[in-house]
Amino acid sequence: MVSTSLTANSTRWIHTDPLSALWNMSDDIPVNDVTIGPDHKTVIVLDHSPDFATSSNFKIDVSLKDSATGQMRVVNQVEKTLWTCAVESAFEFHRIVDEIYPDGVRLMRFVISDFVGRFLTPNWGTQLISLDQLLKSFASCGVPDAKADLSSCSIINGISIAVEAISELTELQKKQSDLNSGFKCFGKCSKRGESGVRLHNDAKQLGSKENLPHFVDHDKKDFRNMKFANRLESLSKKIKLARQEMYTLTVKSGIKKAFPNMGSIVVFTSLKRHVLHDEDIAMLTKHITEDIISRNKIVKALDGDKNFAPITHVQVYFIIIYPVTDGNKDKIYLPTAKPLTKLNEYVSCSVVCAEAGPSLRPILHGVILKHFDLASTTVTSIPMKEEAQQGQSVNYDVEVFHPRRSHHLLQQYGLIGSSSKLRTTVNPGDYETVRLAWTTPSAKNRWNQFPRCISALPISPASVNGRPSVCLTSFLLSGRNVMLEVLKQNVHLPRDVTPNVNQKLISHLLMCHAGRIYMHTVHIGNHPIFDDKKLLASAILPKPTAPLRIADFAMFMKETRLVVPQGAGY
């Protein structure tokens, strides 16, 4: 899913997030090449029915360090419920979006559904809800009641209010509507036009002798009053002409007057008595379509309320969580998994089935990457010291997520094509990651050998609690940096792509700024300006033919220094 189409006229969005640019843009600049996509508003709906109170059959080992031997040993096991797995999945959505889009241009709301649908977040706001507030909201609703009446609970209750939430406009959508519908510029013009009409009518009244008994004196002529009507009429014509020219300019530049109102709904639900057929999914999508049509009629009846807009399209992701089966799925009937497919004018649907075990997280990551247009990079060969092996180090791999734009140059030069060895598929998860090798720059590098960075985008580790991820993030947060190398044995380098740092091809740089880790995209290949031979030749200064008198020049500067005398009355 892409928020904006990269056409020939919108290449500036290759290394810039269009929604972030729109949010920080001036209030008087129309923007007509940014489309706010369905990833801007996402509603997470969690099933709070008694089915989610059942066990996931997945046990977690609780280990403690033995004081006698110094080794870790398992002392107990903790079993999760399906509700715990669903809440952790919702937190994973929140964590990744909050770390990669800290400016609040990707918003989320959370809904639980049992007897009724309930919002855990009251409105869209301008920032994501904090993790502490989200934890308190989930704690207040409690765990599902296993003894509750299952027939009175339905996921439809939560989906219905999720559709209502998507019809609400965010502050970013309101700003885009104001910029392009003329609130700042054309609204003033229309007001001037109305005043111009009134002035023109006043001119007619003032121009008539019957209507000027007090202003026209036949004995003593006042030329100012006589010319006033003509001046008003001339001014109204100029205002009308200016309005026509501005309208023509607006149409010519293609500024839009109406924008699509899209959003996404992610539904975490479970099996109903171990059965969930494709007909149930079809019934839910039909209900969503009917809800959208009904909601659009209500919004249109609001007659110009700027807080709502008709829904143009919704992407729905059904994530079916089922207990761990230990390889025996004969007693469970799962719906057919399918990628995001457009069903009708209003709804696109995707169905994902995930076992509530270790495979749940990578499957969830695959949905997040596709929905928010993110990419995965695996930093390989990270040297880490092991406690059990003193003086030795073991190489680890760490996977991080980031906006897909970071891989633009690698894609442009064909380094991560379909046959590239840099790309590997993550299973389960059904997404690809690009493997780049850890490398550290030499301390003897000259300043002009440091690579050129053309963008810096935030990252989020795939496994936030994993020991390799913690070590990598701690290393970067301490102020150090890591260069990522494209190993030559894994790719066939094009002719115009050469090593850029000490015979190494560095494509990215990991560095921390203000407590947040960024992936810097390093320019590879010949730069059209910095590597221009004519420019470099003209930039080289000629060598002096005579020795420079630096000491004499320093003495001259000291002798000609201006000093304000003490006690001067300034």
Side-chain angles (χ1 to χ4, degrees):
M1 201 294 306
V2 183
S3 298
T4 181
S5 57
L6 296 178
T7 61
N9 297 326
S10 60
T11 54
R12 56 177 171 167
W13 305 128
I14 292 178
H15 300 295
T16 306
D17 181 50
L19 299 190
S20 299
L22 177 62
W23 181 246
N24 296 302
M25 194 163 289
S26 175
D27 290 340
D28 55 359
I29 302 177
V31 181
N32 60 343
D33 59 346
V34 176
T35 300
I36 299 179
D39 62 337
H40 173 57
K41 296 188 295 186
T42 303
V43 184
I44 308 292
V45 182
L46 290 90
D47 194 342
H48 199 251
S49 66
D51 278 332
F52 258 41
T54 59
S55 173
S56 65
N57 297 333
F58 176 61
K59 298 180 180 180
I60 302 176
D61 295 335
V62 179
S63 302
L64 292 177
K65 192 173 185 179
D66 194 336
S67 58
T69 62
Q71 301 294 328
M72 301 296 293
R73 63 185 182 90
V74 178
V75 296
N76 201 351
Q77 287 184 328
V78 179
E79 197 171 84
K80 292 183 180 180
T81 62
L82 293 180
W83 171 252
T84 303
C85 296
V87 172
E88 289 178 349
S89 300
F91 285 167
E92 189 73 359
F93 257 89
H94 180 277
R95 178 187 68 85
I96 294 176
V97 173
D98 183 52
E99 291 178 350
I100 296 181
Y101 297 105
D103 53 357
V105 294
R106 303 299 190 279
L107 301 174
M108 300 174 66
R109 296 182 69 177
F110 296 86
V111 174
I112 61 172
S113 179
D114 42 30
F115 306 103
V116 294
R118 290 172 286 173
F119 279 113
L120 298 182
T121 46
N123 50 48
W124 288 112
T126 57
Q127 293 286 338
L128 279 180
I129 184 175
S130 66
L131 182 59
D132 292 338
Q133 292 176 336
L134 190 60
L135 285 169
K136 293 178 181 178
S137 299
F138 274 104
S140 63
C141 68
V143 298
D145 186 4
K147 299 180 180 180
D149 184 11
L150 181 62
S151 60
S152 61
C153 299
S154 176
I155 194 66
I156 293 178
N157 299 328
I159 293 176
S160 297
I161 65 173
V163 172
E164 296 180 9
I166 293 177
S167 67
E168 299 178 17
L169 294 181
T170 64
E171 294 300 323
L172 181 64
Q173 289 179 305
K174 294 177 184 178
K175 178 176 182 178
Q176 186 186 38
S177 178
D178 291 344
L179 289 176
N180 292 273
S181 63
F183 179 80
K184 296 292 182 182
C185 181
F186 301 105
K188 294 180 180 179
C189 181
S190 62
K191 292 179 181 178
R192 291 176 183 174
E194 293 175 0
S195 61
V197 173
R198 291 196 300 267
L199 293 175
H200 185 65
N201 294 334
D202 293 340
K204 289 183 178 180
Q205 294 177 359
L206 292 174
S208 176
K209 293 183 179 181
E210 292 81 1
N211 297 327
L212 293 174
H214 303 288
F215 295 97
V216 180
D217 188 356
H218 297 283
D219 298 332
K220 185 178 181 181
K221 294 183 179 180
D222 190 345
F223 292 99
R224 292 181 302 173
N225 290 337
M226 293 179 62
K227 295 180 180 180
F228 184 60
N230 296 332
R231 292 170 63 186
L232 285 177
E233 184 177 1
S234 176
L235 181 61
S236 63
K237 290 181 179 180
K238 291 181 179 180
I239 292 176
K240 184 177 180 180
L241 181 62
R243 290 183 62 197
Q244 292 177 351
E245 292 178 353
M246 190 171 293
Y247 178 76
T248 304
L249 179 63
T250 304
V251 175
K252 184 178 180 180
S253 60
I255 297 178
K256 302 176 183 178
K257 294 294 182 180
F259 294 89
N261 179 24
M262 296 181 285
S264 302
I265 301 176
V266 180
V267 182
F268 289 96
T269 186
S270 63
L271 304 173
K272 306 297 181 182
R273 299 184 181 89
H274 300 287
V275 177
L276 187 62
H277 295 291
D278 292 338
E279 291 78 8
D280 299 323
I281 300 296
M283 182 269 295
L284 291 175
T285 54
K286 181 180 178 182
H287 176 79
I288 294 173
T289 303
E290 294 174 353
D291 274 354
I292 293 175
I293 296 174
S294 176
R295 185 63 183 173
N296 287 347
K297 292 180 180 179
I298 296 175
V299 171
K300 291 179 181 178
L302 295 177
D303 193 19
D305 192 336
K306 293 185 178 181
N307 295 319
F308 299 91
I311 301 173
T312 54
H313 198 79
V314 174
Q315 293 182 353
V316 184
Y317 297 86
F318 290 102
I319 301 180
I320 314 300
I321 302 178
Y322 59 92
V324 176
T325 58
D326 295 329
N328 184 15
K329 298 183 180 180
D330 296 337
K331 298 181 180 180
I332 294 181
Y333 300 94
L334 298 172
T336 304
K338 62 179 180 180
L340 190 64
T341 306
K342 186 175 181 179
L343 302 180
N344 51 55
E345 179 185 358
Y346 297 105
V347 177
S348 295
C349 178
S350 173
V351 179
V352 178
C353 300
E355 189 178 62
S359 62
L360 176 59
R361 177 180 292 180
I363 291 176
L364 187 67
H365 287 165
V367 176
I368 295 174
L369 295 185
K370 294 174 184 176
H371 175 51
F372 292 102
D373 194 32
L374 304 178
S376 169
T377 297
T378 300
V379 184
T380 64
S381 304
I382 301 177
M384 292 175 54
K385 294 182 179 180
E386 290 290 342
E387 295 181 359
Q389 301 174 355
Q390 296 294 333
Q392 297 182 3
S393 62
V394 180
N395 292 339
Y396 287 95
D397 298 345
V398 174
E399 183 184 7
V400 296
F401 301 140
H402 51 82
R404 190 172 298 276
R405 301 188 303 276
S406 294
H407 288 166
H408 173 74
L409 290 181
L410 296 178
Q411 189 76 38
Q412 178 181 347
Y413 288 103
L415 300 179
I416 53 174
S418 57
S419 60
S420 175
K421 295 182 180 180
L422 296 178
R423 293 172 51 179
T424 57
T425 302
V426 177
N427 284 317
D430 193 25
Y431 66 91
E432 292 183 337
T433 182
V434 176
R435 299 175 63 85
L436 301 176
W438 161 295
T439 183
T440 53
S442 173
K444 298 180 180 180
N445 283 352
R446 297 178 59 185
W447 66 269
N448 57 359
Q449 290 180 338
F450 199 81
R452 302 156 182 160
C453 298
I454 58 178
S455 68
L457 302 174
I459 69 168
S460 176
S463 178
V464 67
N465 295 323
R467 182 173 175 268
S469 296
V470 172
C471 292
L472 176 62
T473 54
S474 301
F475 180 83
L476 295 171
L477 291 174
S478 64
R480 288 172 282 188
N481 62 79
V482 173
M483 290 187 177
L484 304 183
E485 178 187 2
V486 178
L487 297 179
K488 301 176 185 178
Q489 61 267 25
N490 293 336
V491 294
H492 176 69
L493 295 181
R495 181 179 300 178
D496 52 349
V497 176
T498 57
N500 50 9
V501 177
N502 290 345
Q503 302 304 315
K504 294 182 179 180
L505 180 58
I506 304 300
S507 63
H508 295 86
L509 173 70
L510 294 177
M511 187 182 295
C512 174
H513 301 289
R516 193 177 295 273
I517 302 174
Y518 290 82
M519 174 175 281
H520 300 66
T521 302
V522 178
H523 185 83
I524 57 178
N526 294 326
H527 197 280
I529 298 177
F530 295 141
D531 294 330
D532 185 63
K533 295 182 179 180
K534 294 182 179 180
L535 179 63
L536 293 176
S538 61
I540 299 177
L541 297 176
K543 295 183 179 180
T545 56
L548 299 178
R549 298 164 56 190
I550 299 177
D552 295 342
F553 180 74
M555 183 62 66
F556 172 74
M557 294 296 293
K558 291 180 180 180
E559 292 176 352
T560 57
R561 183 176 56 180
L562 298 178
V563 180
V564 179
Q566 296 182 359
Y570 291 103

